Amino acid sequence: MSTKYEYGIDFDKIDAIDIHTHVEIDGCGHRSLDDELMAASEKYFKSGEERTPSIDAIADHYRARNMAAVVFTVDAASASGHPTNSVEEIAEGAARHNDVLIPFGSVDPWQGKAAVRRVHRLVDDYGVKGFKFHPSMQGFEPNDRQFYPLYEAITEAGVPALFHTGQTKIGAGLPGGHGIKLRYSDPMLLDDVAADFPDLTVIMAHPSVPWVDSQISIATHKANVFIDLSGWSPKYFPPQLVKAANSMLRGKVLFGSDFPVIQVDRWMKDFANLDIKPEVAPLIFKQNALRVLGIKH
């Protein structure tokens, strides 16, 4: 039996919670993406930094910045044919570094009842605090009712579900985008999920290019829907999203980087150049994430 994750973070002392970071390699050296996708991703982002840092290195990285980080991978085995790196190992690593890391689980939605059982096991035995989905990578329409038992299980567990939305960098620049279809990541599909599961907290990951206006409308309309700002440098944020984050969505927008493909330091530097009101920044960096994670503070 693994050591079950429990929070060890001093939420008063940390400066921020990065709600969106990837662990893309496990202790056996198995990577989350096949070689072609990993190489294309490195070329697309040009960060020049280590593309697959270990979970121990990620913990050190955030500890040095006085931040906490939500860590996860994506189980897209059915759609991609590439088995993911170990989700359980991520939870165990987060338990070792529970002063700085928060584990989210991932299940392959095409595994049906086995995926539902795995949701319960990851929550009950490993203590994961949410679940990550990538509809384009996993090749599924989130509002297809065959996947609703998954959301029922996650709602029952009382943890949030974070969905990739918008254009994905995975497969960008490859012929046919490596077969990955963007339409699965249209946030309007999540509007159905949020409406049908009002007690499920839904996080729409990334500025949903090219559907940002839809994303803003959904987050405005549905009390249980939030937006994370990962995956794009803030200097490229659509202006209407910045405006909404400063006003009607100030309680709905979360700091996220997409580390390691986007470096935290670069994201923070570019964010500092946005015209964000001083009273809004603490909400984005920490307070909204505490609400989403259900942390009484």
Side-chain angles (χ1 to χ4, degrees):
M1 171 63 90
S2 66
T3 302
K4 183 175 177 179
Y5 178 87
E6 293 181 1
Y7 284 118
I9 299 165
D10 187 334
F11 290 107
D12 284 323
K13 289 189 177 175
I14 59 166
D15 294 327
I17 299 171
D18 187 337
I19 202 80
H20 196 118
T21 72
H22 290 265
V23 180
E24 304 208 273
I25 196 165
D26 61 25
C28 300
H30 184 75
R31 302 203 297 180
S32 61
L33 302 173
D34 65 44
D35 291 343
E36 188 177 14
L37 284 177
M38 190 67 75
S41 169
E42 289 173 356
K43 183 178 177 183
Y44 184 85
F45 279 100
K46 307 185 188 73
S47 97
E49 300 292 333
E50 168 60 47
R51 183 63 181 80
T52 53
S54 69
I55 195 159
D56 295 331
I58 293 170
D60 289 342
H61 190 81
Y62 280 90
R63 203 175 277 121
R65 286 155 180 79
N66 197 36
M67 295 180 180
V70 171
V71 288
F72 49 68
T73 188
V74 177
D75 187 344
S78 293
S80 70
H82 180 82
T84 190
N85 52 315
S86 171
V87 174
E88 289 80 4
E89 188 180 292
I90 290 171
E92 290 169 348
R96 284 199 313 276
H97 298 287
N98 73 340
D99 63 312
V100 67
L101 299 182
I102 302 167
F104 273 23
S106 180
V107 298
D108 182 344
W110 292 105
Q111 288 186 344
K113 290 180 180 177
V116 174
R117 286 196 297 273
R118 195 165 186 221
V119 164
H120 289 299
R121 189 165 67 89
L122 286 169
V123 172
D124 295 342
D125 295 349
Y126 289 87
V128 304
K129 299 300 182 184
F131 285 86
K132 166 67 190 291
F133 293 95
H134 194 311
S136 290
M137 281 285 294
Q138 294 174 313
F140 79 109
E141 294 176 332
N143 64 345
D144 187 323
R145 299 188 83 85
Q146 70 176 300
F147 305 114
Y148 274 26
L150 273 178
Y151 310 143
E152 288 166 6
I154 295 169
T155 304
E156 186 181 315
V159 298
L162 188 153
F163 291 83
H164 171 97
T165 64
Q167 183 209 334
T168 175
K169 79 271 184 180
I170 303 299
L174 294 177
H178 207 64
I180 295 166
K181 296 175 180 175
L182 299 182
R183 69 179 176 85
Y184 293 135
S185 293
D186 183 338
M188 286 308 296
L189 302 178
L190 297 177
D191 186 65
D192 291 352
V193 176
D196 293 340
F197 292 90
D199 295 325
L200 174 65
T201 296
V202 174
I203 306 166
M204 297 185 287
H206 319 310
S208 296
V209 177
W211 301 292
V212 173
D213 292 326
S214 297
Q215 179 184 40
I216 292 169
S217 295
I218 296 163
T220 304
H221 190 251
K222 302 288 190 297
N224 51 323
V225 176
F226 295 77
I227 297 171
D228 88 34
L229 297 174
S230 68
W232 294 78
S233 163
K235 68 182 178 183
Y236 299 123
F237 284 175
Q240 66 269 44
L241 182 58
V242 176
K243 183 178 179 182
N246 245 342
S247 54
M248 60 191 176
L249 292 184
R250 64 172 56 195
K252 292 296 206 84
V253 174
L254 313 165
F255 161 49
S257 66
D258 218 4
F259 182 85
V261 293
I262 291 182
Q263 292 294 306
V264 181
D265 295 346
R266 179 200 172 187
W267 193 100
M268 296 291 287
K269 178 169 159 285
D270 290 347
F271 185 82
N273 292 324
L274 294 181
D275 188 19
I276 297 292
K277 296 172 184 172
E279 66 271 24
V280 172
L283 302 177
I284 293 174
F285 281 117
K286 186 165 72 171
Q287 298 306 322
N288 294 342
L290 294 175
R291 281 178 56 212
V292 162
L293 293 168
I295 294 164
K296 300 290 184 281
H297 191 67

